Amino acid sequence: MILTVDIGNTNVVVGGFAGEEPSFVDRLPSSREWDGTAWREALGELLRERGLTADKIAGSALCSVVPELTERLRSALREVTRRPVRTVDAELDVGLVLAGYDRRTLGNDRVVDAVSALARYAPPLAVFDLGTATTLSVLDREGAFLGGMILPGLGLSVEALAARASQLPPIPLEAPATLLGTDAVSCMQSGAIYGAAAQIDGLTARVEELLGQPVTAVVTGGLSGLVCPYCRRAVFRDEHLLLRGLHLIYRGIRGSAAGQT
């Protein structure tokens, strides 16, 4: 079993691979208050619930966009699994060609998404990750990373709207009943979901204009299942794109000592 760990701003997503597809996917809160001991206990309990002991785990790969949690999780993983941890960072060569982009400022999640998407879909690519932030990563026909965008995430946008507009309440993110809402809550839900879908459609069209050729749109992240059905253009929803990318990176360069700690 190979463990893959994605440390995001809201959740820590843990996936286990015994083959090409994840055997399980679990989530833990991205608690900044937990110390190394708390993370070790949380990971140990998660693995026990899955019937996994250290001797059943060959290794793990980790990606993080929360620097203060990276070392805590890496140390906890190493202690629980008794195996090295493959960590994606600016020093690890994963084979992604950057067309002028400064790798030091490129989120590790976007790197892993790009590697994973290139292994599964035909470029050029527009890769959307709908998380705490919404990111767009664009890869050209040769697979080089051209750049992209970072936007407020869907949940964050709705929370900010409710917090700053006195007459607008907090709302659950749910599928809208109709395009046009008939009260404040349904208007906010419709605006959030249809707006996010239109964002994907519109930005992909603009990328196609920029590149002068059709683009494959890939959408991942926790909210992808809610938004993708409302996109007008064909998109590939890949819920576990990042975990698959971590698995691919672990397998592809596991023979090298670089990046293992």
Side-chain angles (χ1 to χ4, degrees):
M1 179 73 70
I2 306 299
L3 295 183
T4 55
V5 180
D6 169 26
I7 305 174
N9 287 294
T10 303
N11 294 301
V12 173
V13 185
V14 182
F17 286 79
E20 297 299 318
E21 296 297 319
S23 302
F24 69 86
V25 175
D26 288 319
R27 284 172 169 78
L28 297 168
S30 297
S31 175
R32 276 68 164 177
E33 286 73 38
W34 289 3
D35 60 11
T37 299
W39 279 112
R40 187 170 61 249
E41 292 175 351
L43 289 171
E45 178 62 23
L46 185 154
L47 296 179
R48 282 192 294 274
E49 290 177 354
R50 293 290 179 176
L52 291 173
T53 52
D55 60 297
K56 295 180 180 179
I57 299 171
S60 58
L62 179 148
C63 170
S64 175
V65 297
V66 188
E68 61 265 41
L69 293 182
T70 305
E71 185 54 39
R72 294 181 217 172
L73 265 295
R74 181 164 54 191
S75 296
L77 263 177
R78 191 167 52 228
E79 291 183 35
V80 169
T81 66
R82 303 173 196 164
R83 296 288 187 277
V85 179
R86 175 72 66 182
T87 304
V88 178
D89 57 25
E91 304 304 317
L92 185 65
D93 182 6
V94 298
L96 182 65
V97 176
L98 303 179
Y101 203 105
D102 185 352
R103 175 62 181 90
R104 294 168 299 178
T105 67
L106 179 58
N108 296 317
D109 56 339
R110 297 175 71 190
V111 171
V112 179
D113 277 344
V115 169
S116 186
L118 283 169
R120 294 172 62 86
Y121 306 99
L125 292 165
V127 183
F128 294 87
D129 194 331
L130 310 186
T132 304
T134 292
T135 62
L136 165 62
S137 299
V138 178
L139 298 108
D140 68 14
R141 184 167 52 188
E142 285 71 41
F145 188 98
L146 299 181
M149 298 181 182
I150 302 174
L151 306 92
L154 180 54
L156 188 63
S157 297
V158 170
E159 290 171 10
L161 188 59
R164 296 294 297 272
S166 299
Q167 291 185 304
L168 297 182
I171 64 165
L173 282 174
E174 297 176 351
T178 61
L179 175 65
L180 303 179
T182 56
D183 55 35
V185 171
S186 61
C187 281
M188 291 173 70
Q189 288 176 334
S190 181
I193 305 305
Y194 278 103
Q199 187 178 77
I200 292 170
D201 290 336
L203 290 177
T204 303
R206 289 182 180 237
V207 171
E208 289 179 328
E209 291 176 9
L210 176 68
L211 300 184
Q213 60 189 133
V215 167
T216 304
V218 181
V219 186
T220 189
L223 294 170
S224 58
L226 188 58
V227 174
C228 283
Y230 296 90
C231 291
R232 284 188 164 180
R233 66 173 295 133
V235 300
F236 290 96
R237 180 192 172 226
D238 196 329
E239 182 181 5
H240 302 309
L241 183 72
L242 195 148
L243 296 182
R244 289 193 180 96
L246 284 173
H247 182 229
L248 181 68
I249 289 169
Y250 177 87
R251 290 188 306 152
I253 56 177
R254 62 177 297 178
S256 167
Q260 290 194 7
T261 59

PDB file of all heavy atoms in Angstrom, residues 27-39:
ATOM      1  N   ARG A  27     -10.474  12.101   5.100  1.00  0.00           N
ATOM      2  CA  ARG A  27     -10.157  13.514   5.339  1.00  0.00           C
ATOM      3  C   ARG A  27     -10.022  13.799   6.831  1.00  0.00           C
ATOM      4  O   ARG A  27     -10.798  13.297   7.645  1.00  0.00           O
ATOM      5  CB  ARG A  27     -11.248  14.407   4.740  1.00  0.00           C
ATOM      6  CG  ARG A  27     -11.169  14.535   3.231  1.00  0.00           C
ATOM      7  CD  ARG A  27     -12.365  15.274   2.644  1.00  0.00           C
ATOM      8  NE  ARG A  27     -12.131  15.609   1.245  1.00  0.00           N
ATOM      9  CZ  ARG A  27     -12.231  14.748   0.241  1.00  0.00           C
ATOM     10  NH1 ARG A  27     -12.582  13.489   0.490  1.00  0.00           N
ATOM     11  NH2 ARG A  27     -11.989  15.125  -0.997  1.00  0.00           N
ATOM     12  N   LEU A  28      -9.034  14.618   7.141  1.00  0.00           N
ATOM     13  CA  LEU A  28      -8.835  15.137   8.480  1.00  0.00           C
ATOM     14  C   LEU A  28      -8.828  16.667   8.391  1.00  0.00           C
ATOM     15  O   LEU A  28      -8.452  17.216   7.351  1.00  0.00           O
ATOM     16  CB  LEU A  28      -7.496  14.663   9.058  1.00  0.00           C
ATOM     17  CG  LEU A  28      -7.335  13.155   9.266  1.00  0.00           C
ATOM     18  CD1 LEU A  28      -5.871  12.826   9.564  1.00  0.00           C
ATOM     19  CD2 LEU A  28      -8.230  12.685  10.401  1.00  0.00           C
ATOM     20  N   PRO A  29      -9.232  17.359   9.442  1.00  0.00           N
ATOM     21  CA  PRO A  29      -9.190  18.824   9.394  1.00  0.00           C
ATOM     22  C   PRO A  29      -7.752  19.322   9.398  1.00  0.00           C
ATOM     23  O   PRO A  29      -6.877  18.728  10.052  1.00  0.00           O
ATOM     24  CB  PRO A  29      -9.929  19.238  10.671  1.00  0.00           C
ATOM     25  CG  PRO A  29      -9.750  18.080  11.598  1.00  0.00           C
ATOM     26  CD  PRO A  29      -9.747  16.851  10.726  1.00  0.00           C
ATOM     27  N   SER A  30      -7.491  20.398   8.674  1.00  0.00           N
ATOM     28  CA  SER A  30      -6.141  20.980   8.641  1.00  0.00           C
ATOM     29  C   SER A  30      -5.932  21.829   9.891  1.00  0.00           C
ATOM     30  O   SER A  30      -5.795  23.062   9.830  1.00  0.00           O
ATOM     31  CB  SER A  30      -5.958  21.828   7.378  1.00  0.00           C
ATOM     32  OG  SER A  30      -6.054  21.032   6.227  1.00  0.00           O
ATOM     33  N   SER A  31      -5.874  21.171  11.034  1.00  0.00           N
ATOM     34  CA  SER A  31      -5.789  21.874  12.311  1.00  0.00           C
ATOM     35  C   SER A  31      -4.376  22.389  12.563  1.00  0.00           C
ATOM     36  O   SER A  31      -3.429  21.605  12.666  1.00  0.00           O
ATOM     37  CB  SER A  31      -6.210  20.937  13.450  1.00  0.00           C
ATOM     38  OG  SER A  31      -6.031  21.568  14.698  1.00  0.00           O
ATOM     39  N   ARG A  32      -4.245  23.710  12.650  1.00  0.00           N
ATOM     40  CA  ARG A  32      -2.952  24.304  12.963  1.00  0.00           C
ATOM     41  C   ARG A  32      -2.613  24.123  14.435  1.00  0.00           C
ATOM     42  O   ARG A  32      -1.454  24.310  14.827  1.00  0.00           O
ATOM     43  CB  ARG A  32      -2.947  25.800  12.643  1.00  0.00           C
ATOM     44  CG  ARG A  32      -2.654  26.161  11.193  1.00  0.00           C
ATOM     45  CD  ARG A  32      -3.746  25.754  10.239  1.00  0.00           C
ATOM     46  NE  ARG A  32      -3.613  26.442   8.947  1.00  0.00           N
ATOM     47  CZ  ARG A  32      -4.418  26.226   7.916  1.00  0.00           C
ATOM     48  NH1 ARG A  32      -5.414  25.345   7.996  1.00  0.00           N
ATOM     49  NH2 ARG A  32      -4.230  26.884   6.787  1.00  0.00           N
ATOM     50  N   GLU A  33      -3.603  23.766  15.256  1.00  0.00           N
ATOM     51  CA  GLU A  33      -3.373  23.615  16.692  1.00  0.00           C
ATOM     52  C   GLU A  33      -2.763  22.259  17.047  1.00  0.00           C
ATOM     53  O   GLU A  33      -2.172  22.109  18.095  1.00  0.00           O
ATOM     54  CB  GLU A  33      -4.690  23.793  17.469  1.00  0.00           C
ATOM     55  CG  GLU A  33      -5.182  25.227  17.548  1.00  0.00           C
ATOM     56  CD  GLU A  33      -5.734  25.718  16.217  1.00  0.00           C
ATOM     57  OE1 GLU A  33      -6.385  24.920  15.517  1.00  0.00           O
ATOM     58  OE2 GLU A  33      -5.500  26.894  15.871  1.00  0.00           O
ATOM     59  N   TRP A  34      -2.922  21.268  16.190  1.00  0.00           N
ATOM     60  CA  TRP A  34      -2.395  19.936  16.492  1.00  0.00           C
ATOM     61  C   TRP A  34      -0.878  19.933  16.393  1.00  0.00           C
ATOM     62  O   TRP A  34      -0.309  20.432  15.406  1.00  0.00           O
ATOM     63  CB  TRP A  34      -2.958  18.901  15.526  1.00  0.00           C
ATOM     64  CG  TRP A  34      -4.406  18.591  15.730  1.00  0.00           C
ATOM     65  CD1 TRP A  34      -5.250  19.166  16.623  1.00  0.00           C
ATOM     66  CD2 TRP A  34      -5.179  17.632  15.005  1.00  0.00           C
ATOM     67  NE1 TRP A  34      -6.512  18.624  16.502  1.00  0.00           N
ATOM     68  CE2 TRP A  34      -6.491  17.687  15.520  1.00  0.00           C
ATOM     69  CE3 TRP A  34      -4.893  16.748  13.967  1.00  0.00           C
ATOM     70  CZ2 TRP A  34      -7.514  16.874  15.036  1.00  0.00           C
ATOM     71  CZ3 TRP A  34      -5.906  15.936  13.481  1.00  0.00           C
ATOM     72  CH2 TRP A  34      -7.208  15.993  14.019  1.00  0.00           C
ATOM     73  N   ASP A  35      -0.232  19.370  17.406  1.00  0.00           N
ATOM     74  CA  ASP A  35       1.217  19.211  17.334  1.00  0.00           C
ATOM     75  C   ASP A  35       1.552  17.859  16.713  1.00  0.00           C
ATOM     76  O   ASP A  35       0.675  17.133  16.239  1.00  0.00           O
ATOM     77  CB  ASP A  35       1.841  19.353  18.729  1.00  0.00           C
ATOM     78  CG  ASP A  35       1.327  18.308  19.719  1.00  0.00           C
ATOM     79  OD1 ASP A  35       0.640  17.340  19.291  1.00  0.00           O
ATOM     80  OD2 ASP A  35       1.614  18.457  20.924  1.00  0.00           O
ATOM     81  N   GLY A  36       2.841  17.522  16.696  1.00  0.00           N
ATOM     82  CA  GLY A  36       3.262  16.274  16.072  1.00  0.00           C
ATOM     83  C   GLY A  36       2.612  15.055  16.690  1.00  0.00           C
ATOM     84  O   GLY A  36       2.244  14.105  15.983  1.00  0.00           O
ATOM     85  N   THR A  37       2.464  15.076  18.013  1.00  0.00           N
ATOM     86  CA  THR A  37       1.850  13.936  18.696  1.00  0.00           C
ATOM     87  C   THR A  37       0.396  13.760  18.270  1.00  0.00           C
ATOM     88  O   THR A  37      -0.056  12.635  18.007  1.00  0.00           O
ATOM     89  CB  THR A  37       1.923  14.132  20.215  1.00  0.00           C
ATOM     90  OG1 THR A  37       3.293  14.214  20.619  1.00  0.00           O
ATOM     91  CG2 THR A  37       1.243  12.968  20.942  1.00  0.00           C
ATOM     92  N   ALA A  38      -0.340  14.859  18.184  1.00  0.00           N
ATOM     93  CA  ALA A  38      -1.749  14.791  17.789  1.00  0.00           C
ATOM     94  C   ALA A  38      -1.882  14.259  16.362  1.00  0.00           C
ATOM     95  O   ALA A  38      -2.765  13.439  16.068  1.00  0.00           O
ATOM     96  CB  ALA A  38      -2.399  16.163  17.914  1.00  0.00           C
ATOM     97  N   TRP A  39      -1.003  14.711  15.474  1.00  0.00           N
ATOM     98  CA  TRP A  39      -1.062  14.218  14.095  1.00  0.00           C
ATOM     99  C   TRP A  39      -0.682  12.742  14.024  1.00  0.00           C
ATOM    100  O   TRP A  39      -1.287  11.976  13.260  1.00  0.00           O
ATOM    101  CB  TRP A  39      -0.152  15.048  13.196  1.00  0.00           C
ATOM    102  CG  TRP A  39      -0.777  16.341  12.772  1.00  0.00           C
ATOM    103  CD1 TRP A  39      -0.396  17.600  13.130  1.00  0.00           C
ATOM    104  CD2 TRP A  39      -1.912  16.491  11.922  1.00  0.00           C
ATOM    105  NE1 TRP A  39      -1.235  18.534  12.566  1.00  0.00           N
ATOM    106  CE2 TRP A  39      -2.173  17.878  11.811  1.00  0.00           C
ATOM    107  CE3 TRP A  39      -2.732  15.603  11.245  1.00  0.00           C
ATOM    108  CZ2 TRP A  39      -3.213  18.388  11.046  1.00  0.00           C
ATOM    109  CZ3 TRP A  39      -3.773  16.110  10.479  1.00  0.00           C
ATOM    110  CH2 TRP A  39      -4.010  17.477  10.389  1.00  0.00           C
TER     111      TRP A  39
END
